[in-house]
Short mmCIF file of all heavy atoms in Angstrom, two decimals:
data_model
loop_
_atom_site.label_atom_id
_atom_site.label_comp_id
_atom_site.label_asym_id
_atom_site.label_seq_id
_atom_site.Cartn_x
_atom_site.Cartn_y
_atom_site.Cartn_z
N LYS A 59 -19.77 -2.64 -86.39
CA LYS A 59 -19.60 -2.74 -87.85
C LYS A 59 -18.33 -3.48 -88.27
O LYS A 59 -18.15 -3.78 -89.45
CB LYS A 59 -19.58 -1.34 -88.47
CG LYS A 59 -20.89 -0.58 -88.33
CD LYS A 59 -20.76 0.82 -88.89
CE LYS A 59 -22.09 1.55 -88.85
NZ LYS A 59 -21.99 2.95 -89.32
N LEU A 106 -12.88 4.79 -90.90
CA LEU A 106 -13.84 5.86 -90.62
C LEU A 106 -14.55 6.33 -91.88
O LEU A 106 -15.75 6.64 -91.86
CB LEU A 106 -13.11 7.04 -89.95
CG LEU A 106 -12.61 6.76 -88.53
CD1 LEU A 106 -11.68 7.88 -88.06
CD2 LEU A 106 -13.77 6.58 -87.57
N ALA A 107 -13.83 6.37 -93.00
CA ALA A 107 -14.44 6.79 -94.26
C ALA A 107 -15.45 5.74 -94.75
O ALA A 107 -16.55 6.08 -95.19
CB ALA A 107 -13.36 7.01 -95.31
N HIS A 109 -16.94 3.04 -92.97
CA HIS A 109 -18.03 2.63 -92.08
C HIS A 109 -18.83 3.78 -91.48
O HIS A 109 -19.99 3.60 -91.11
CB HIS A 109 -17.46 1.80 -90.93
CG HIS A 109 -16.94 0.46 -91.34
ND1 HIS A 109 -17.76 -0.54 -91.82
CD2 HIS A 109 -15.67 -0.04 -91.36
CE1 HIS A 109 -17.02 -1.61 -92.09
NE2 HIS A 109 -15.76 -1.32 -91.84
N TYR A 110 -18.23 4.97 -91.39
CA TYR A 110 -18.91 6.06 -90.69
C TYR A 110 -19.10 7.31 -91.55
O TYR A 110 -19.61 8.32 -91.07
CB TYR A 110 -18.13 6.44 -89.42
CG TYR A 110 -17.98 5.27 -88.47
CD1 TYR A 110 -16.86 4.44 -88.51
CD2 TYR A 110 -18.98 4.97 -87.54
CE1 TYR A 110 -16.72 3.35 -87.65
CE2 TYR A 110 -18.86 3.88 -86.68
CZ TYR A 110 -17.73 3.08 -86.74
OH TYR A 110 -17.61 2.01 -85.89
N ASP A 111 -18.67 7.24 -92.80
CA ASP A 111 -18.79 8.37 -93.72
C ASP A 111 -18.07 9.61 -93.17
O ASP A 111 -18.48 10.74 -93.42
CB ASP A 111 -20.27 8.70 -93.97
CG ASP A 111 -20.46 9.52 -95.25
OD1 ASP A 111 -19.60 9.43 -96.14
OD2 ASP A 111 -21.46 10.25 -95.34
N VAL A 112 -17.00 9.36 -92.42
CA VAL A 112 -16.15 10.44 -91.90
C VAL A 112 -14.91 10.47 -92.79
O VAL A 112 -13.98 9.69 -92.62
CB VAL A 112 -15.77 10.20 -90.42
CG1 VAL A 112 -14.74 11.23 -89.95
CG2 VAL A 112 -17.02 10.28 -89.55
N THR A 113 -14.92 11.37 -93.74
CA THR A 113 -13.85 11.41 -94.75
C THR A 113 -12.76 12.42 -94.42
O THR A 113 -11.68 12.38 -94.99
CB THR A 113 -14.44 11.75 -96.13
OG1 THR A 113 -15.19 12.96 -96.03
CG2 THR A 113 -15.38 10.64 -96.60
N GLU A 114 -13.07 13.35 -93.51
CA GLU A 114 -12.08 14.35 -93.08
C GLU A 114 -11.65 14.00 -91.66
O GLU A 114 -12.33 14.35 -90.69
CB GLU A 114 -12.69 15.76 -93.14
CG GLU A 114 -13.13 16.20 -94.52
CD GLU A 114 -11.96 16.29 -95.49
OE1 GLU A 114 -10.86 16.69 -95.06
OE2 GLU A 114 -12.16 15.97 -96.68
N PRO A 166 -17.15 9.93 -79.76
CA PRO A 166 -18.24 10.74 -80.30
C PRO A 166 -18.64 10.35 -81.72
O PRO A 166 -19.82 10.38 -82.07
CB PRO A 166 -17.66 12.16 -80.27
CG PRO A 166 -16.70 12.13 -79.12
CD PRO A 166 -16.06 10.78 -79.22
N ILE A 167 -17.65 9.96 -82.55
CA ILE A 167 -17.96 9.56 -83.93
C ILE A 167 -18.89 8.35 -83.94
O ILE A 167 -19.93 8.34 -84.62
CB ILE A 167 -16.67 9.25 -84.71
CG1 ILE A 167 -15.89 10.53 -84.99
CG2 ILE A 167 -16.98 8.52 -86.02
CD1 ILE A 167 -14.51 10.30 -85.62
N VAL A 168 -18.54 7.31 -83.18
CA VAL A 168 -19.35 6.08 -83.15
C VAL A 168 -20.73 6.37 -82.59
O VAL A 168 -21.76 5.93 -83.14
CB VAL A 168 -18.65 4.98 -82.33
CG1 VAL A 168 -19.54 3.75 -82.25
CG2 VAL A 168 -17.30 4.63 -82.95
N ALA A 169 -20.79 7.13 -81.50
CA ALA A 169 -22.08 7.43 -80.86
C ALA A 169 -22.99 8.25 -81.77
O ALA A 169 -24.20 7.99 -81.86
CB ALA A 169 -21.84 8.17 -79.54
N ALA A 170 -22.41 9.24 -82.45
CA ALA A 170 -23.20 10.13 -83.29
C ALA A 170 -23.67 9.45 -84.57
O ALA A 170 -24.82 9.62 -85.00
CB ALA A 170 -22.40 11.38 -83.63
N VAL A 171 -22.78 8.65 -85.19
CA VAL A 171 -23.12 8.02 -86.47
C VAL A 171 -23.98 6.77 -86.29
O VAL A 171 -25.00 6.59 -86.96
CB VAL A 171 -21.84 7.68 -87.27
CG1 VAL A 171 -22.20 6.91 -88.54
CG2 VAL A 171 -21.08 8.95 -87.61
N ASP A 172 -23.60 5.90 -85.37
CA ASP A 172 -24.33 4.64 -85.21
C ASP A 172 -25.65 4.79 -84.47
O ASP A 172 -26.56 3.98 -84.64
CB ASP A 172 -23.46 3.61 -84.49
CG ASP A 172 -22.45 2.97 -85.43
OD1 ASP A 172 -22.48 3.28 -86.63
OD2 ASP A 172 -21.62 2.16 -84.96
N TYR A 173 -25.76 5.81 -83.61
CA TYR A 173 -26.98 5.96 -82.82
C TYR A 173 -27.67 7.32 -82.97
O TYR A 173 -28.83 7.46 -82.57
CB TYR A 173 -26.66 5.73 -81.33
CG TYR A 173 -26.27 4.30 -81.04
CD1 TYR A 173 -24.92 3.94 -80.93
CD2 TYR A 173 -27.23 3.30 -80.92
CE1 TYR A 173 -24.56 2.63 -80.68
CE2 TYR A 173 -26.87 1.98 -80.67
CZ TYR A 173 -25.53 1.66 -80.56
OH TYR A 173 -25.17 0.34 -80.32
N GLY A 174 -26.97 8.29 -83.50
CA GLY A 174 -27.59 9.60 -83.64
C GLY A 174 -27.64 10.37 -82.34
O GLY A 174 -28.44 11.29 -82.18
N TRP A 175 -26.79 9.99 -81.36
CA TRP A 175 -26.76 10.67 -80.07
C TRP A 175 -26.17 12.07 -80.20
O TRP A 175 -25.37 12.35 -81.10
CB TRP A 175 -25.91 9.89 -79.06
CG TRP A 175 -26.49 8.57 -78.65
CD1 TRP A 175 -27.71 8.05 -78.99
CD2 TRP A 175 -25.86 7.59 -77.81
NE1 TRP A 175 -27.89 6.82 -78.41
CE2 TRP A 175 -26.77 6.50 -77.69
CE3 TRP A 175 -24.63 7.52 -77.17
CZ2 TRP A 175 -26.48 5.37 -76.95
CZ3 TRP A 175 -24.33 6.39 -76.43
CH2 TRP A 175 -25.24 5.32 -76.32
N GLN A 176 -26.55 12.94 -79.29
CA GLN A 176 -25.93 14.25 -79.15
C GLN A 176 -24.76 14.10 -78.18
O GLN A 176 -24.94 13.59 -77.08
CB GLN A 176 -26.94 15.26 -78.61
CG GLN A 176 -28.13 15.50 -79.51
CD GLN A 176 -27.74 16.21 -80.80
OE1 GLN A 176 -26.94 17.14 -80.80
NE2 GLN A 176 -28.31 15.76 -81.92
N VAL A 177 -23.58 14.50 -78.60
CA VAL A 177 -22.38 14.27 -77.78
C VAL A 177 -21.66 15.56 -77.45
O VAL A 177 -21.36 16.38 -78.33
CB VAL A 177 -21.40 13.32 -78.51
CG1 VAL A 177 -20.22 12.99 -77.58
CG2 VAL A 177 -22.10 12.04 -78.96
N ILE A 193 -12.71 17.87 -86.80
CA ILE A 193 -13.28 16.63 -87.33
C ILE A 193 -14.80 16.71 -87.35
O ILE A 193 -15.45 16.40 -88.36
CB ILE A 193 -12.81 15.42 -86.51
CG1 ILE A 193 -11.31 15.19 -86.69
CG2 ILE A 193 -13.59 14.16 -86.90
CD1 ILE A 193 -10.70 14.18 -85.73
N SER A 194 -15.38 17.13 -86.23
CA SER A 194 -16.85 17.17 -86.13
C SER A 194 -17.46 18.20 -87.07
O SER A 194 -18.56 18.00 -87.59
CB SER A 194 -17.28 17.44 -84.68
OG SER A 194 -16.87 18.72 -84.26
N GLN A 195 -16.76 19.31 -87.28
CA GLN A 195 -17.29 20.38 -88.13
C GLN A 195 -17.04 20.15 -89.62
O GLN A 195 -17.68 20.78 -90.46
CB GLN A 195 -16.70 21.72 -87.69
CG GLN A 195 -17.14 22.15 -86.29
CD GLN A 195 -16.30 23.27 -85.72
OE1 GLN A 195 -15.48 23.88 -86.42
NE2 GLN A 195 -16.47 23.56 -84.44
N SER A 196 -16.11 19.24 -89.94
CA SER A 196 -15.75 19.02 -91.34
C SER A 196 -16.49 17.84 -91.97
O SER A 196 -16.30 17.57 -93.18
CB SER A 196 -14.24 18.78 -91.46
OG SER A 196 -13.51 19.88 -90.95
N ASN A 197 -17.28 17.14 -91.19
CA ASN A 197 -17.99 15.96 -91.70
C ASN A 197 -19.49 16.09 -91.49
O ASN A 197 -19.95 16.29 -90.36
CB ASN A 197 -17.48 14.70 -90.99
CG ASN A 197 -16.05 14.36 -91.37
OD1 ASN A 197 -15.79 13.75 -92.41
ND2 ASN A 197 -15.11 14.77 -90.52
N THR A 198 -20.24 15.97 -92.57
CA THR A 198 -21.69 16.11 -92.52
C THR A 198 -22.31 15.11 -91.55
O THR A 198 -23.29 15.43 -90.87
CB THR A 198 -22.30 15.91 -93.92
OG1 THR A 198 -21.68 16.82 -94.84
CG2 THR A 198 -23.79 16.15 -93.91
N ALA A 199 -21.73 13.92 -91.45
CA ALA A 199 -22.28 12.88 -90.58
C ALA A 199 -22.25 13.28 -89.11
O ALA A 199 -23.00 12.73 -88.30
CB ALA A 199 -21.51 11.58 -90.78
N LEU A 200 -21.38 14.24 -88.76
CA LEU A 200 -21.23 14.65 -87.36
C LEU A 200 -21.78 16.05 -87.11
O LEU A 200 -21.90 16.47 -85.95
CB LEU A 200 -19.75 14.62 -86.96
CG LEU A 200 -18.99 13.32 -87.21
CD1 LEU A 200 -17.52 13.50 -86.85
CD2 LEU A 200 -19.58 12.18 -86.39
N SER A 201 -22.10 16.75 -88.15
CA SER A 201 -22.51 18.14 -88.04
C SER A 201 -23.73 18.31 -87.12
O SER A 201 -24.75 17.65 -87.28
CB SER A 201 -22.85 18.69 -89.43
OG SER A 201 -23.23 20.05 -89.34
N GLY A 202 -23.58 19.19 -86.13
CA GLY A 202 -24.68 19.46 -85.21
C GLY A 202 -24.86 18.42 -84.13
O GLY A 202 -25.75 18.56 -83.28
N ARG A 203 -24.04 17.39 -84.12
CA ARG A 203 -24.20 16.32 -83.13
C ARG A 203 -23.06 16.23 -82.13
O ARG A 203 -23.20 15.62 -81.08
CB ARG A 203 -24.33 14.96 -83.85
CG ARG A 203 -25.60 14.79 -84.65
CD ARG A 203 -25.63 13.45 -85.34
NE ARG A 203 -26.84 13.26 -86.11
CZ ARG A 203 -27.05 12.25 -86.95
NH1 ARG A 203 -26.09 11.33 -87.11
NH2 ARG A 203 -28.18 12.15 -87.62
N VAL A 204 -21.90 16.80 -82.48
CA VAL A 204 -20.72 16.68 -81.62
C VAL A 204 -20.13 18.06 -81.37
O VAL A 204 -19.90 18.83 -82.30
CB VAL A 204 -19.65 15.77 -82.26
CG1 VAL A 204 -18.41 15.71 -81.38
CG2 VAL A 204 -20.20 14.37 -82.51
#
Side-chain angles (χ1 to χ4, degrees):
K59 295 176 176 177
L106 291 170
H109 292 293
Y110 301 93
D111 200 25
V112 172
T113 55
E114 298 297 324
I167 289 173
V168 177
V171 175
D172 280 357
Y173 293 99
W175 293 354
Q176 297 292 318
V177 185
I193 293 170
S194 65
Q195 294 165 10
S196 301
N197 291 278
T198 305
L200 306 176
S201 182
R203 292 179 180 171
V204 178

